[in-house]
Amino acid sequence: MTELTLVQAVNRGLQEAMRADPDVIVLGEDVGVNGGVFRATEGLLKEFGADRVLDTPLSETGIVGSAIGMALYGLKPVAEIQFLDFIYPAFDQIVSELAKMRYRSGGQFPCHVVVRAPYGGGIKGGLYHSQSTEAYFCHTAGLKVVVPSTPADAKGLLRTAIADEDPVLFLEPKRIYRSVTGEVPDGDHRVPFGSARTVRAGSDVSVFAYGAMVPVVTEAAAALEAEGISAEVIDLRSLVPLDEEAVLASVGRTGRAVVVHEAARCCGFGAEVAAVLAEKAFYSLKAPIARVTGYDTPFPYALENVYLPGPDRVVAAVRDTVRAG
Amino acid sequence: MAATASRPSAPAPSEDRLGGARLVDAYRAMVLARALDERCLSLQRQGRIGFYAPHAGQEAALVGSALAVAAEDWVFPAYREMTVALVRGASLQAVVDQLFGDAGDLAKGRQMPNHFAFRDQHFVSASSPIGTQIPQAVGAAMAARYRKQAITTITYFGDGATSSNDFHAGLNFAGVFRAPTIFFCQNNEWAISLPRERQTRSSTLAMKAEAYGFPGVVVDGNDVNAVYAAVRAARARAVAGDGPTLIEAQVYRFGPHSTSDDPRRYRADAQVEEARRRDPVARLRAELLAAQLLDEAADAALAEEARTRIGEAIGRAEATPALEPLSIFDDVFAQPTARLAEQRTDCAAHLAPGGRSS
């Protein structure tokens, strides 16, 4: 075990994967000499050289497009998109090409690329360094989408992503890159996809979250406990594939559900979780499902704390849900 | 230009022209391409296939380029390159099965006609968005070089694609990383309804390479040997480590953009008739006759051979069973997710005789 921050755990995961397999290549803007704007790739250029750590021109289309070609040829590229907000020039490559390559070729051309992207608010990054648009990608068949919230999961999910046979969008909650530290297992630690993590057990209500909202929800759960409300906190970790079994089992026990994400509400991932519960756990529910989310506004700069769900909004939603039935 | 003789993957450097039997082989491939094109248009009009994007007028560019690269090279095509796949050894039956979307289609009926994928021929799956294959070809070339394999990648696209994001991203990456890639632009003068002169103010498409720091060349795309020589030279540069080349093969799209298009809305028949005077198939035929590499009887036999092979392949395709309905759930991921497995079960119940209807 080693105590690491979340971003250090990402770095460690990359380093260990590259040591284990010469086919693993890292490419992106400022990932080499600069070690990444968040330092996620620090030290990799020095250890692995410029053939494996590629500082690319400023073109997300070029980064993901060339990564697809590398993967088709048999390498295992890990492409960094500097901020999720800047991924849209590569949207066509990700959605039309990467996600569909295996399917459209009848399985002849599997295409395994990991696209890493820091996402989310809370860093005073304004409109274009703060968004959480995971739902665009979850809507796309053929793409896996995972979001760690702890250093151990950051390394474990990243190692799984790099070893996986399918394309993976690996979203890193940059707000907690350094504010969260934790013990990370040494060696080839892997966290399977499609497996939610119970952060704390509870009996009155299930609260589902992922990424930077997990510590927010955990703080809310502690406050609720003082009021006598027992909240179960589930970190989804893997949005596609989703651990439906864990979601349904938790609500089967508690009878109440609150879904929390910082993405905008309309068609956000919480809508999918709520729909699964409505379809498959309706008769277990004692109260309406609640969502605590970012608002359906663009992401505001000066007032980001108004926009982002905090423990107070989670506490209020849980109280309402518990009182409702 | 650096010598390539020591590279086992490169064709012998003395062969800078197709001659004799190889030129006749090129002609045979072009005759097959033309006959297949005409037959596919009629199959679509008869409702026997759903769609078709013709390549008539581009046969010399397709065959000349395909013959100039090696089997171990990788092709990143657009959707008018079935002839390239055939030259590289894809079976005519596999091509026709793709057009019909039957159980013989190697891509399992997942895409419209013309969107081929042939793993064994290193012919990467084509898509409809324009230009997306261009940076992919660059990445594959970078990967080959990383593995110290002296091959090249060749990517096909049209004049319209030179306005796409991916064209600029791909060429810029190729220049920066000196990727062993051949950018093969078939400038057929029309991007659906938009003429070449409205696509760009540049006087040629090839000159765009200069901005990315590597050579761009214009070649008469109706001359199979001119195309062959240009691609051979580009390939030699690439495998010698001298970087990419952009080739603009100037051709003309005789037919519609696709069977969904009516070109009379945007161009005059007279222009098409004028272009047909430069027909690459007729041109090579005249050359072969003049060089006495072919006579009228042999030419007629080639045409008949093509028609027969195509007719037989179509007959077999129409006798091939339809795809298994539940195969739509295959190949989304390497292994189906629980959710996909559940949807597959629901779909199976729906499809079963007397099955539930929800």
Side-chain angles (χ1 to χ4, degrees):
Chain A
M1 289 284 200
T2 309
E3 174 101 353
L4 298 172
T5 64
L6 198 150
V7 72
Q8 285 170 336
V10 169
N11 182 264
R12 190 64 60 89
L14 289 169
Q15 181 192 45
E16 291 178 4
M18 293 180 83
R19 283 180 181 170
D21 185 349
D23 283 342
V24 179
I25 300 277
V26 165
L27 70 162
E29 294 158 14
D30 309 299
V31 299
V33 175
N34 196 42
V37 297
F38 291 103
R39 307 290 175 256
T41 54
E42 187 152 40
L44 300 181
L45 176 67
K46 187 163 182 251
E47 179 170 351
F48 301 105
D51 287 346
R52 295 184 66 191
V53 183
L54 279 62
D55 272 324
T56 68
L58 203 164
S59 169
E60 289 75 15
T61 309
I63 294 166
V64 178
S66 61
I68 289 170
M70 292 175 188
L72 290 170
Y73 201 78
L75 300 185
K76 295 175 183 167
V78 182
E80 177 175 306
I81 298 296
Q82 204 159 73
F83 288 81
L84 182 60
D85 312 69
F86 302 148
I87 204 168
Y88 307 110
F91 198 70
D92 199 19
Q93 286 289 346
I94 294 170
V95 169
S96 303
E97 301 290 318
L98 179 58
K100 294 176 173 59
M101 193 66 80
R102 179 191 292 275
Y103 191 75
R104 79 187 198 203
S105 66
Q108 293 181 86
F109 288 100
C111 189
H112 167 49
V113 174
V114 177
V115 179
R116 294 179 40 245
Y119 85 97
I123 62 153
K124 286 283 177 194
L127 189 46
Y128 299 110
H129 301 79
S130 304
Q131 297 167 85
S132 301
T133 56
E134 58 276 8
Y136 293 147
F137 300 96
C138 295
H139 189 64
T140 298
L143 201 59
K144 293 177 177 173
V145 181
V146 299
V147 195
S149 73
T150 68
D153 282 356
K155 179 179 148 180
L157 288 169
L158 184 57
R159 291 301 303 269
T160 302
I162 293 170
D164 204 87
E165 296 175 87
D166 296 308
V168 180
L169 180 64
F170 188 85
L171 295 174
E172 299 170 7
K174 59 183 178 285
R175 176 188 188 178
I176 55 171
Y177 258 156
R178 291 182 177 77
S179 63
V180 168
T181 57
E183 293 288 326
V184 177
D186 297 320
D188 190 6
H189 165 61
R190 296 189 191 187
V191 173
F193 288 177
S195 161
R197 179 176 68 97
T198 302
V199 180
R200 59 179 283 162
S203 54
D204 295 327
V205 57
S206 303
V207 187
F208 302 103
Y210 50 91
M213 285 297 106
V214 172
V216 168
V217 168
T218 307
E219 187 181 333
L224 287 160
E225 189 171 31
E227 299 178 17
I229 295 174
S230 169
E232 180 152 289
V233 178
I234 306 283
D235 177 0
L236 296 175
R237 299 198 287 198
S238 170
L239 305 184
V240 180
L242 176 66
D243 188 353
E244 280 192 19
E245 210 172 306
V247 170
L248 294 170
S250 178
V251 173
R253 287 190 297 274
T254 64
R256 300 180 187 88
V258 175
V259 194
V260 183
H261 55 65
E262 58 184 276
R265 177 167 306 204
C266 182
C267 299
F269 196 74
E272 184 60 34
V273 175
V276 166
L277 290 169
E279 286 170 348
K280 297 182 178 173
F282 185 79
Y283 297 108
S284 302
L285 288 169
K286 301 172 191 162
I289 300 160
R291 285 184 287 169
V292 182
T293 69
Y295 298 110
D296 290 331
T297 68
F299 192 99
Y301 169 65
L303 298 174
E304 71 173 349
N305 289 335
V306 176
Y307 176 91
L308 286 166
D312 52 339
R313 282 174 61 195
V314 177
V315 165
V318 168
R319 275 192 204 126
D320 289 349
T321 302
V322 171
R323 283 176 194 150
Chain B
M1 191 178 301
T4 59
S6 63
R7 308 274 180 170
S9 61
S14 60
E15 293 175 36
D16 58 353
R17 277 188 69 79
L18 296 166
R22 291 198 74 203
L23 193 59
V24 176
D25 285 345
Y27 179 66
R28 179 182 285 112
M30 288 166 61
V31 167
L32 177 67
R34 179 64 57 87
L36 184 56
D37 205 56
E38 288 168 355
R39 191 67 199 273
C40 288
L41 282 168
S42 71
L43 285 174
Q44 194 279 336
R45 289 195 198 101
Q46 293 161 1
R48 292 158 74 187
I49 62 174
F51 172 88
Y52 184 67
H55 56 240
Q58 302 181 199
E59 292 89 344
L62 294 165
V63 172
S65 60
L67 288 171
V69 295
E72 57 268 41
D73 294 342
W74 279 53
V75 178
F76 286 76
Y79 45 69
R80 286 186 216 281
E81 282 82 37
M82 62 162 69
T83 300
V84 173
L86 288 168
V87 169
R88 292 178 67 79
S91 77
L92 181 59
Q93 191 63 52
V95 165
V96 171
D97 283 334
Q98 196 281 337
L99 299 172
F100 279 86
D102 60 43
D105 176 8
L106 292 171
K108 304 183 188 173
R110 300 274 163 67
Q111 293 212 75
M112 294 168 86
N114 294 79
H115 298 68
F116 298 96
F118 296 108
R119 178 90 209 178
D120 290 348
Q121 282 71 39
H122 296 170
F123 189 94
V124 172
S125 170
S127 68
S128 305
I130 296 299
T132 46
Q133 70 278 19
I134 297 172
Q136 295 169 12
V138 176
M142 292 164 70
R145 188 179 51 197
Y146 173 70
R147 288 195 166 166
K148 304 197 182 335
Q149 289 162 341
I151 64 130
T152 184
T153 62
I154 180 168
T155 180
Y156 290 81
F157 51 92
D159 40 308
T162 63
S163 295
S164 71
N165 290 343
D166 297 81
F167 171 82
H168 297 284
L171 267 69
N172 190 43
F173 269 52
V176 167
F177 292 108
R178 289 176 76 79
T181 303
I182 302 165
F183 299 100
F184 192 78
C185 177
Q186 295 184 83
N187 169 11
N188 68 15
E189 297 288 339
W190 292 93
I192 304 187
S193 68
L194 200 76
R196 152 66 185 87
E197 64 270 18
R198 290 284 306 281
Q199 198 66 245
T200 174
R201 195 75 172 174
S202 306
S203 56
T204 70
L205 303 177
M207 71 189 295
K208 291 173 185 286
E210 190 179 342
Y212 298 109
F214 57 85
V217 297
V218 176
V219 63
D220 178 355
N222 295 317
D223 179 347
V224 69
N225 251 319
V227 172
Y228 180 79
V231 177
R232 287 299 301 269
R235 187 183 190 282
R237 264 179 54 78
V239 297
D242 295 334
T245 305
L246 170 61
I247 297 170
E248 174 187 353
Q250 294 183 336
V251 293
Y252 191 88
R253 192 191 79 211
F254 293 169
H257 162 72
S258 76
T259 47
S260 308
D261 175 42
D262 174 10
R264 292 182 178 202
R265 293 175 65 87
Y266 52 80
R267 71 184 186 187
D269 288 346
Q271 187 190 67
V272 183
E273 289 315 307
E274 199 276 329
R276 281 187 181 277
R277 287 203 281 278
R278 301 187 299 273
D279 184 327
V281 182
R283 175 176 172 164
L284 183 54
R285 177 176 179 275
E287 280 179 31
L288 291 171
L289 289 171
Q292 297 186 321
L293 288 166
L294 189 76
D295 59 25
E296 296 286 352
D299 185 37
L302 279 184
E304 183 55 33
E305 178 199 4
R307 276 194 297 274
T308 303
R309 288 183 62 201
I310 293 164
E312 287 172 358
I314 291 168
R316 279 192 292 268
E318 290 189 320
T320 300
L323 287 154
E324 204 279 303
L326 294 176
S327 71
I328 68 165
F329 295 99
D330 298 340
D331 309 310
V332 179
F333 296 110
Q335 303 297 330
T337 58
R339 175 172 281 217
L340 276 169
E342 180 183 306
Q343 291 176 13
R344 189 180 191 282
T345 302
D346 284 353
C347 183
H350 174 67
L351 293 173
R356 67 195 191 89
S357 59
S358 70

